[in-house]
Amino acid sequence: QVQLVESGGGLVQAGSSLRLSCTPSIQTVGIYTEGGIYTIGWFRQASGQEREFVAAIRMTMDITRYADPVKGRFTISADRAKNTIYLQMDELKPEDTAVYYCAGDRGWSPVIAARYEFWGQGTQVTVSS
């Protein structure tokens, strides 16, 4: 079984930065082996809103993808030795306020939430004006 744990959320002022972390805990499904997690995506969701794509990274390659609203402000990266994925968020805006989730996919369909098989519990990011 696989479990993903997010951390790093909090309450910050507009223009500040946060770095979120996602650590997949895998018992039998390897993250770097055949059948393991191939893609880690970040999604966010505000109360009453649909979950939306933020960023994704292929775990075995230097390939990333970003949603338009966060391009130039957010950076996704992976420390493969530590089995940890980061989302560096700079120049935060009030509209970035949401619960942020990391998710794992065994394929590469980065922007579609329904394609991700594994999800974390989320971490709250609140940006005040």
Side-chain angles (χ1 to χ4, degrees):
Q1 295 181 344
V2 60
Q3 179 180 354
L4 300 96
V5 179
E6 307 98 332
S7 63
L11 173 63
V12 298
Q13 294 181 331
S16 298
S17 298
L18 284 172
R19 188 178 73 168
L20 306 183
S21 299
C22 173
T23 302
S25 300
I26 302 173
Q27 296 294 323
T28 59
V29 180
I31 193 168
Y32 305 132
T33 62
E34 193 278 329
I37 295 176
Y38 184 72
T39 301
I40 292 292
W42 285 97
F43 293 79
R44 64 188 184 186
Q45 185 173 23
S47 180
Q49 305 296 319
E50 294 184 351
R51 189 166 298 185
E52 64 178 0
F53 170 76
V54 177
I57 185 169
R58 293 176 70 175
M59 294 301 296
T60 60
M61 303 179 187
D62 291 329
I63 298 176
T64 58
R65 187 164 179 173
Y66 297 92
D68 288 341
V70 307
K71 287 181 179 178
R73 299 189 298 120
F74 291 10
T75 304
I76 188 170
S77 62
D79 185 335
R80 293 168 177 83
K82 295 182 178 180
N83 195 35
T84 301
I85 299 87
Y86 303 100
L87 184 67
Q88 177 68 41
M89 305 184 294
D90 297 322
E91 298 293 333
L92 283 164
K93 304 175 180 179
E95 50 263 45
D96 295 318
T97 296
V99 176
Y100 283 70
Y101 300 88
C102 66
D105 183 19
R106 287 174 287 184
W108 176 247
S109 298
V111 308
I112 305 174
R115 298 296 181 91
Y116 288 77
E117 296 95 343
F118 312 103
W119 291 85
Q121 79 289 342
T123 185
Q124 177 70 48
V125 172
T126 303
V127 184
S128 62
S129 59

